[in-house]
Amino acid sequence: MIRKRHPTLGIALSGGGARGLAHIGFLKVLEREGIRVDYLSGTSMGSVIATAYARGMPLDEMEREVVHNTTTRNMIRMVSITPPTRGLVETGKLRAILSHFIPEETTFEGLRIPTAICATDLIRSQPVTLSRGLVLPAVMASCAVPGIFPSVEMPPMRLVDGGVLNNLPVDLAQALGAQCVIAVDVQADTEDSGPHEEHFVGGNLPFHMPGALRDIVWSSSMMIARITQMQLERTRPDLYLRAPVPVDVSMFLGFQRAREVIAAGEALAESALPRIRALLGID
């Protein structure tokens, strides 16, 4: 009997800070259902989850590490106590936490699933694809939200958060060779989510966020959402999914609700399973 060949599957995971923890739940359901992921791409938090999964980190272990490292006490320890130069969070402390998910020696060439992640080059004002060499510095660059995390120097580039220009890197998954791409977007719908003040209640930050910074964060979210819409019109995924993450979980708020956010990713995958099976030709 000839076994039916299914198209290769790529998953593009968006950035979104605490909201990005939903990606863990989404991948848990795919793994439970035996749906093979052939390629991964990600930006910011999506890059963390994508590369950790691609190297073979069990999703249950990933969830435990997330819950442990996102307590209020551990997040407070990440904040620099000296006057910031390029970010509020110390590079060494961020690196120490990320190394639990991506060990220092991990390379893209050694990943079990081919993966590409996105950062933004401040020097040339353009998105950058990172898919070779050491993974950890690349992930730190993809996560370097300007003003919060320090930029990463990779001469001749100075890299920051990939979400600035490519928050949902469908194009990277396609470039790797995926025949079908599912795009998982965890960003809030800024046009249909109420006053932006609602996004800053119900959570705790390891630092005080003044009103002006809240406005900056929400303005950035609006710009990222609009840029993502334009990119999706140009580079369409085979299936676009938006995770039902609660509105008061934002880029920085809600890490302490990790289990709830992960469950939202599971709910998204469960509801999308019929469409995913149809896309891949799975009976």
Side-chain angles (χ1 to χ4, degrees):
M1 182 177 70
I2 299 176
R3 296 183 64 183
K4 183 179 179 180
R5 295 183 62 183
H6 303 299
T8 55
L9 174 62
I11 306 290
L13 304 179
S14 81
R19 300 176 66 87
L21 300 179
H23 294 315
I24 297 175
F26 185 84
L27 292 172
K28 284 175 69 173
V29 173
L30 295 190
E31 189 172 272
R32 185 200 72 201
E33 295 296 316
I35 297 174
R36 174 179 171 177
V37 178
D38 300 290
Y39 301 98
L40 284 161
S41 65
T43 293
S44 199
M45 181 60 77
S47 77
V48 178
I49 307 304
T51 53
Y53 187 64
R55 78 169 181 85
M57 185 177 191
L59 290 165
D60 288 343
E61 179 184 344
M62 200 183 303
E63 181 172 356
R64 287 194 299 271
E65 284 289 344
V66 163
V67 171
H68 171 73
N69 284 289
T70 55
T71 62
T72 300
R73 176 179 296 181
N74 283 336
M75 292 187 70
I76 289 174
R77 289 173 178 169
M78 290 180 63
V79 179
S80 175
I81 60 175
T82 58
T85 53
R86 289 191 178 274
L88 291 173
V89 177
E90 292 183 8
T91 301
K93 293 178 179 179
L94 175 62
R95 192 180 193 107
I97 288 180
L98 289 178
S99 66
H100 291 289
F101 301 88
I102 307 128
E104 294 275 355
E105 68 277 8
T106 306
T107 64
F108 281 99
E109 292 80 4
L111 296 177
R112 298 181 183 183
I113 302 172
T115 303
I117 64 177
C118 186
T120 302
D121 182 11
L122 292 179
I123 304 299
R124 294 179 294 171
S125 302
Q126 65 184 33
V128 174
T129 300
L130 302 172
S131 58
R132 296 181 180 179
L134 290 172
V135 175
L136 185 55
V139 169
M140 291 184 65
S142 186
C143 293
V145 178
I148 305 298
F149 301 105
S151 58
V152 175
E153 301 289 338
M154 290 188 182
M157 301 180 293
R158 179 181 299 149
L159 301 180
V160 295
D161 185 8
V164 172
L165 293 176
N166 191 4
N167 197 53
L168 185 54
V170 174
D171 55 333
L172 271 57
Q174 292 175 339
L176 286 170
Q179 295 170 322
C180 290
V181 177
I182 299 174
V184 184
D185 192 356
V186 299
Q187 280 290 108
D189 184 351
T190 57
E191 295 183 359
D192 188 31
S193 56
H196 81 273
E197 288 86 356
E198 294 179 6
H199 295 253
F200 298 96
V201 298
N204 295 308
L205 279 171
F207 53 86
H208 172 66
M209 180 179 282
L213 183 55
R214 295 182 182 189
D215 290 344
I216 291 172
V217 170
W218 189 243
S219 297
S220 298
S221 296
M222 288 192 296
M223 288 187 289
I224 289 171
R226 187 60 58 87
I227 291 172
T228 299
Q229 287 176 357
M230 292 188 294
Q231 288 178 323
L232 289 173
E233 292 173 1
R234 185 175 64 249
T235 308
R236 294 181 180 274
D238 297 275
L239 181 60
Y240 170 82
L241 302 172
R242 185 188 292 275
V245 180
V247 67
D248 57 341
V249 175
S250 63
M251 182 178 295
F252 305 113
L253 292 174
F255 278 102
Q256 295 84 355
R257 295 162 62 185
R259 295 192 189 278
E260 179 185 355
V261 178
I262 291 170
E266 293 183 61
L268 173 66
E270 293 280 3
S271 65
L273 275 176
R275 286 177 287 169
I276 294 172
R277 290 196 178 100
L279 176 67
L280 299 175
I282 300 174
D283 298 327

